[in-house]
Amino acid sequence: MNAHVPPPQVMQRSHGEASVAMQHRAGRTRLADLRQQGSAKAFLPRVDGAVPEVVFLNTSGGLTGGDRLRFALTLSAGCRAVATTQTAERAYRAGQGSALVEVAHSVGAGGWLDWLPQETILYQGAALDRRTVIDLAPGAGCLLLESVVLGRAAMGETVTGLAFRDTRIVRRDGRLALLDPLAFGDDALAAAGGTAILGGARAFATLAMVGPAVQDALGPARAALGEPGVEGSASAFDGKLVLRLLAADGWPLRRQVARVLAALRGQALPRVWQN
Amino acid sequence: MSDAFPDAGLLSLVQWLSPAFPTGGYAYSHGLEWAVAQGEVADGAGVEHWLADVLRHGAGRADGILLAHALEPGADMAALTDLARALAPSAERLAETEQQGAAFALATGAVLGVALAPRPLPLAVGQAACTLGLPKAQVITLYLHAFAANLVSCATRFVPLGQNEGQRVLAALHPLIQTIAQEAAMAPLDSITTSAFRADMASMLHETLDVRIFKT
């Protein structure tokens, strides 16, 4: 070791992949396989009731340029499960390139998945490209949530630079059913005050339910809107129920998300959210 | 036909995208009626701002890219149709693109003497216009111009705006429309994104508006 050579300035990039498979046996959904490597972990906390919770975790403490993260959950026919993340995900200023996050879930025939990750907080200069794909077999359904907060309000942070792409894809029996390719780059951020963009809000969420009879939930979903400080809207069409929520900050948004989830699934947030 | 008379293709497209063509665009406000009813869009400057954002960051650019791909020889129209339907953010926006697209396909089919399948509007325009021999960017420019002109016409009736103010707003959007069309003509399908979150919300909230002039 030569004492005159400075340490390498290469940032440590994190890579991680966690995949979980569940099977339905003897009337219950049970763990069939769990693989994890790098910074990605998954675990199943003990829960009351028959529907298991799968908790994914990125142990790297946040995302930055060049990071790769993949979460996957495969539910066999007839499985019902809830999947979430242990903490809010933070995307920090990226040095070079984007952080790539891939979420790839599949739900077997007649099964149901609630994919309810905690919010993503985007710091000034963050570059994150996230792709969430849920494949539904015939008769299967899902509820998916994505909440995003631009900067930390408590720190008085205003995010002006970002390379954020957040694509949600749901396929029914291999056929595209929902495509929601949200993106915020510098130009969209500059326009974010516009009433057609974010109207100056800093926190937004999309909830989507895809599956048999989900359009029946439009009334209860609309009735659960109206949390103070949150704008919300809902629409049901083409075997889907979609909600958009918008707030000045992450906390009122989270309260509104909890109310909508309570209305849609009979219980509020996954237990791990409440810690 | 474009050999015999170079402008024939362009004339056909201008006819198809004119307000007189039975596409029924006058009935659809893309959620703008809600924004006006809330007082969020209250004058010419507000209409211009809202439209510029929707063109640049919402359905304008997305439709432009869909149209570019529908103009491609041998385009997989079934896959593009699934994509366009999956992109619709609300019941009314799905109805807006499908109902206008079906009417457009029927009317262009009648003019051309062929049967054209009903498709979401940008794809219906693409499947008819691909025979015209026009550059993609030109087709997209006129498509986006028709989209903006229709919403300016909605605003003229509902904000209300003076006729001249409406035309000033539309003219002011011309450079943006050309820029978006140039980009969209060459953009891959996976570059379709949206940032027009509240425009999507407006189209959802329009569903529950008590008094409505427009279908969307």
Side-chain angles (χ1 to χ4, degrees):
Chain A
M1 195 82 171
N2 186 333
H4 299 288
V5 176
Q9 292 296 305
V10 178
M11 289 278 286
Q12 191 66 43
R13 300 280 159 76
S14 70
H15 289 229
E17 177 169 355
S19 51
V20 176
M22 313 283 288
Q23 273 183 348
H24 196 71
R25 273 180 293 144
R28 290 182 72 89
T29 295
R30 299 162 193 272
L31 181 66
D33 191 31
L34 168 63
R35 291 159 197 265
Q36 44 193 12
Q37 62 179 51
S39 65
K41 306 279 184 246
F43 62 95
L44 280 76
R46 189 174 294 277
V47 291
D48 303 329
V51 180
E53 272 183 30
V54 180
V55 179
F56 289 94
L57 172 62
N58 174 21
T59 60
S60 77
L63 295 164
T64 188
D67 287 357
R68 302 283 181 272
L69 186 65
R70 184 174 195 272
F71 294 149
L73 173 60
T74 303
L75 300 180
S76 298
C79 287
R80 297 182 72 86
V82 177
T84 183
T85 53
Q86 195 189 29
T87 57
E89 186 64 272
R90 286 167 173 77
Y92 300 110
R93 176 183 290 280
Q96 270 190 327
S98 286
L100 299 184
V101 175
E102 187 188 355
V103 175
H105 300 328
S106 65
V107 187
W112 186 277
L113 170 66
D114 286 350
W115 170 233
L116 308 173
Q118 302 199 46
E119 66 266 37
T120 302
I121 302 167
L122 302 173
Y123 287 55
Q124 172 69 13
L128 170 60
D129 191 339
R130 176 170 53 199
R131 195 176 147 89
T132 301
V133 179
I134 301 182
D135 269 299
L136 302 176
C142 67
L143 168 62
L144 74 127
L145 163 71
E146 206 66 73
S147 304
V148 175
V149 182
L150 303 177
R152 296 158 297 176
M155 312 287 285
E157 201 170 61
T158 302
V159 176
T160 54
L162 212 55
F164 178 53
R165 275 193 70 158
D166 197 23
T167 304
R168 279 161 292 286
I169 292 170
V170 179
R171 297 192 201 99
R172 275 184 296 230
D173 203 13
R175 204 167 158 193
L176 195 58
L178 181 143
L179 173 60
D180 183 25
L182 209 61
F184 280 92
D186 297 354
D187 57 340
L189 279 180
T195 176
I197 310 296
L198 293 178
R202 297 175 48 260
F204 47 91
T206 300
L207 279 116
M209 208 152 68
V210 183
V214 298
Q215 295 186 217
D216 298 345
L218 177 62
R222 280 194 176 137
L225 297 175
E227 179 70 25
V230 183
E231 266 192 300
S233 63
S235 186
F237 55 108
D238 201 23
K240 297 180 278 190
L241 170 67
V242 179
L243 287 94
R244 299 275 205 200
L245 308 172
L246 198 60
D249 190 19
W251 280 107
L253 186 71
R254 188 179 257 238
R255 284 195 295 270
Q256 178 66 84
V257 165
R259 268 173 65 171
V260 171
L261 289 179
L264 294 180
R265 51 198 293 275
Q267 48 188 315
L269 304 172
R271 179 167 308 198
V272 66
W273 277 49
Q274 290 151 25
N275 293 335
Chain B
M1 66 183 153
S2 45
D3 288 350
F5 179 26
D7 292 332
L10 186 58
L11 269 182
S12 292
L13 188 63
V14 167
Q15 179 193 359
W16 300 347
L17 294 175
S18 78
F21 203 67
T23 306
Y26 61 86
Y28 303 91
S29 91
H30 203 77
L32 178 59
E33 182 177 24
W34 181 85
V36 173
Q38 299 307 302
E40 294 185 357
V41 174
D43 54 19
V47 173
E48 183 182 333
H49 190 168
W50 196 90
L51 278 179
D53 282 346
V54 166
L55 284 164
R56 185 96 204 85
H57 301 292
R61 182 174 169 276
D63 274 6
I65 297 172
L66 287 169
L67 174 50
H69 287 265
L71 288 167
E72 200 67 49
D76 184 347
M77 295 301 286
L80 286 171
T81 298
D82 281 356
L83 199 154
R85 287 176 47 82
L87 262 177
S90 68
E92 291 194 349
R93 289 272 298 278
L94 180 61
E96 181 176 304
T97 195
E98 287 208 301
Q99 290 169 8
Q100 290 188 85
F104 183 92
L106 203 63
T108 44
V111 169
L112 295 171
V114 294
L116 293 174
R119 304 212 178 270
L121 186 60
L123 307 179
V125 172
Q127 85 181 349
C130 68
T131 60
L132 299 177
L134 298 171
K136 283 183 189 173
Q138 188 173 32
V139 178
I140 300 166
T141 300
L142 289 177
Y143 176 91
L144 294 178
H145 184 265
F147 173 79
N150 180 56
L151 292 177
V152 164
S153 167
C154 291
T156 311
R157 283 176 279 158
F158 190 63
V159 173
L161 301 182
Q163 296 284 350
N164 291 342
E165 175 68 351
Q167 293 307 312
R168 184 204 63 76
V169 167
L170 185 56
L173 292 169
H174 282 178
L176 177 64
I177 286 170
Q178 289 172 286
T179 302
I180 295 168
Q182 293 288 347
E183 288 174 15
M186 292 176 297
L189 278 177
D190 69 4
S191 70
I192 292 177
T193 58
T194 177
S195 323
F197 200 87
R198 283 188 90 253
D200 293 354
M201 293 180 75
S203 74
M204 294 176 169
L205 292 164
H206 185 268
E207 291 178 33
T208 52
L209 208 56
D210 285 337
V211 181
R212 313 189 301 166
I213 298 173
F214 300 95
K215 287 184 184 174
T216 67

